[in-house]
């Protein structure tokens, strides 16, 4: 998180930063020779000015380019673009520019699917348009992509918002067939699964690790917190902000990624974890994340396509009534657009 985004209240000496991120993910239809990684860093920097953030660091594998930003992260692969930003950033304002770059520079003319999601903001009225309310976000997304489908899951203060495209079966099937024939030799659609853990009410002792007063640098914070052991084999690109705050991206040789962002202030502590690691069960990943951060509450979401390694994970999670000392307060499960989705809200058992 950027130090300049911290809001101070002089009446009670409280510092606030909106750790909750807005996450936009766009998949483009496979096309011969098309590749989003043809878009240059300078072009991405221009896009991110619209969002009100900037690139801090960069790492890559053969399949994915990963950027640590002043407010969270961006991932770019052949046909998928992910932007995750916190604070008062405006990621949806850059979608038009991204679609133009995808078409003119990368060679991607058609969008296959879109996912936009976020948890409820701690201070929604501090957000800039269109992010000050979900209806405005949906209206803008529909202006880019046509009629989408909007979901609101969970109780009011812990709700999670999602926008995705409607499965227009006839039109999509015809379009996909046309592009397969026109772009023979390009890669087929790949399996996909993503887990996101959005944590609040974090342990103050853990959060102190992610301050300059405690840790000399990001590497120390990464090791002391156990982040380096959550998913072994990741090449980690981490950053410790001044005076506090932490971001990291991890990329693996197989193209998988993970990303963690931490707002450690006691009054607004927040941590997000996300990964597309292809595991059959998320038990170990979940237990490592919860052991590292010890949240009081967290929202869990899992997406998986039927051909993914973790295709059964949403159904497995649906049946869980307790998890590592946490009680499931809310759970919802649905199927759409080739994915299964599980949402759940957990809170620590009363001591």
């Amino acid at each position: 998180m950027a130090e300049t985004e911290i809001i101070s209240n002089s009446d009670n000496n409280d510092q606030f930063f909106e750790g909750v991120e807005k996450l936009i993910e766009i998949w483009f239809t496979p096309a011969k020779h098309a590749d989003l990684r043809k878009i240059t860093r300078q072009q991405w920097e221009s896009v991110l000015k619209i969002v009100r953030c900037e690139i801090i660091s960069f790492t890559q594998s053969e399949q994915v380019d990963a950027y640590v930003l002043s407010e969270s992260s961006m991932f770019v692969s052949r046909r998928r673009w992910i932007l995750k930003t916190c604070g008062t950033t405006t990621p949806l304002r850059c979608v038009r520019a991204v679609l133009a770059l995808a078409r003119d520079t990368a060679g991607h003319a058609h969008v296959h699917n879109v996912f936009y999601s976020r948890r409820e903001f701690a201070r929604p009225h501090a957000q800039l348009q269109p992010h000050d309310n979900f209806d405005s976000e949906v209206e803008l997304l529909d202006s880019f992509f046509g009629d989408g489908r909007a979901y609101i899951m969970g109780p009011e203060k812990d709700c999670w918002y999602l926008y995705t495209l409607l499965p227009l079966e006839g039109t999509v099937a015809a379009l996909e067939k046309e592009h397969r024939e026109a772009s023979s030799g390009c890669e087929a659609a790949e399996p996909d699964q993503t887990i996101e853990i959005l944590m609040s009410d974090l342990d103050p002792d853990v959060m102190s690790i992610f301050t300059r007063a405690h840790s000399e640098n990001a590497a120390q914070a990464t090791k002391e917190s156990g982040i380096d052991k959550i998913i072994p084999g990741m090449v980690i690109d981490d950053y410790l902000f001044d005076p506090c705050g932490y971001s990291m991206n991890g990329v693996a040789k197989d193209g998988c990624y993970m990303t963690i962002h931490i707002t450690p202030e006691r009054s607004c502590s927040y941590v997000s974890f996300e990964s597309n690691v292809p595991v059959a069960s998320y038990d170990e990943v979940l237990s490592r994340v919860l052991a590292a951060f010890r949240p009081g509450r967290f929202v869990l979401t899992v997406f998986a396509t039927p051909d993914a390694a973790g295709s059964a994970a949403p159904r497995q999670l649906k049946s869980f009534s307790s998890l590592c000392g946490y009680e499931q307060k809310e759970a919802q499960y649905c199927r759409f657009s080739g994915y299964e989705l599980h949402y759940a809200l957990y809170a620590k058992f009363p001591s």
Side-chain angles (χ1 to χ4, degrees):
M1 66 179 209
E3 182 184 2
T4 55
E5 290 278 0
I6 294 175
I7 301 171
S8 179
N9 185 329
S10 59
D11 293 336
N12 57 14
N13 199 32
D14 182 31
Q15 286 188 324
F16 174 80
F17 179 84
E18 185 67 76
V20 173
E21 291 124 338
K22 308 127 183 146
L23 173 60
I24 177 76
E25 178 173 329
I26 301 177
W27 287 79
F28 293 88
T29 302
K32 192 174 183 180
H33 304 309
D35 191 338
L36 293 172
R37 292 169 297 179
K38 293 179 181 178
I39 300 171
T40 66
R41 176 165 175 157
Q42 184 177 10
Q43 288 172 312
W44 285 126
E45 287 172 344
S46 296
V47 166
L48 293 171
K49 284 182 181 178
I50 303 171
V51 182
R52 302 174 73 248
C53 63
E54 59 186 11
I55 296 169
I56 289 178
S57 187
F58 170 79
T59 190
Q60 65 184 155
S61 68
E62 290 185 7
Q63 291 83 17
V64 63
D65 293 347
Y67 298 83
V68 174
L69 307 179
S70 55
E71 281 82 9
S72 300
S73 293
M74 181 173 72
F75 296 90
V76 184
S77 57
R78 180 176 293 275
R79 70 183 190 99
R80 176 173 62 178
W81 172 72
I82 301 172
L83 179 63
K84 187 172 193 173
T85 63
C86 56
T88 55
T89 51
T90 53
L92 294 187
R93 292 185 185 177
C94 81
V95 170
R96 190 183 304 278
V98 171
L99 295 177
L101 284 172
R103 180 189 65 239
D104 299 337
T105 302
H108 280 297
H110 297 277
V111 170
H112 175 73
N113 211 340
V114 175
F115 301 94
Y116 173 73
S117 64
R118 63 171 174 84
R119 193 171 170 178
E120 176 62 28
F121 296 122
R123 296 185 183 177
H125 299 300
Q127 295 294 315
L128 303 175
Q129 292 183 345
H131 299 288
D132 51 344
N133 69 84
F134 188 49
D135 288 344
S136 295
E137 292 172 320
V138 170
E139 183 179 358
L140 182 58
L141 286 161
D142 275 345
S143 75
F144 297 132
F145 304 110
D147 291 334
R149 179 172 292 173
Y151 299 82
I152 302 176
M153 301 185 181
E156 183 177 357
K157 291 184 178 180
D158 291 294
C159 69
W160 181 75
Y161 300 94
L162 171 68
Y163 174 96
T164 188
L165 297 189
L166 284 168
L168 304 175
E169 295 181 3
T171 303
V172 171
L175 181 62
E176 292 296 327
K177 182 175 185 294
E178 174 187 337
H179 274 268
R180 284 196 298 271
E181 292 172 350
S183 57
S184 57
C186 71
E187 76 281 6
E190 63 266 32
D192 181 43
Q193 64 185 80
T194 304
I195 181 172
E196 194 174 23
I197 309 169
L198 308 175
M199 296 164 271
S200 51
D201 301 334
L202 283 303
D203 187 308
D205 291 337
V206 175
M207 291 297 94
S208 68
I209 297 171
F210 304 100
T211 66
R212 285 285 181 175
H214 181 101
S215 296
E216 183 177 346
N217 50 44
Q220 180 184 338
T222 298
K223 185 173 182 180
E224 184 173 342
S225 62
I227 287 173
D228 58 330
K229 295 181 174 62
I230 291 176
I231 300 180
M234 291 279 178
V235 175
I236 291 177
D237 182 15
D238 48 13
Y239 191 87
L240 183 65
F241 291 88
D242 188 7
C244 63
Y246 171 94
S247 289
M248 70 81 68
N249 292 334
V251 295
K253 290 182 179 179
D254 61 2
C256 293
Y257 70 87
M258 79 169 187
T259 185
I260 296 172
H261 303 283
I262 299 172
T263 299
E265 287 90 343
R266 186 183 292 264
S267 63
C268 54
S269 62
Y270 189 83
V271 175
S272 69
F273 169 89
E274 179 187 346
S275 180
N276 67 340
V277 59
V279 294
S281 169
Y282 284 117
D283 290 1
E284 289 189 11
V285 172
L286 271 168
S287 62
R288 289 171 186 161
V289 170
L290 296 177
F293 300 112
R294 302 199 290 269
R297 301 169 69 83
F298 67 93
V299 165
L300 170 71
T301 65
V302 175
F303 287 87
T305 56
D307 53 353
S311 60
R315 292 186 295 277
Q316 292 170 355
L317 291 167
K318 182 184 177 184
S319 65
F320 289 171
S321 59
S322 63
L323 181 67
C324 303
Y326 291 85
E327 179 182 8
Q328 189 180 85
K329 296 291 189 179
E330 187 96 8
Q332 292 179 249
Y333 172 80
C334 61
R335 298 177 66 181
F336 55 84
S337 302
Y339 283 81
E340 293 187 358
L341 164 68
H342 174 79
Y343 159 95
L345 170 65
Y346 290 89
K348 275 187 176 179
F349 282 115
S351 54

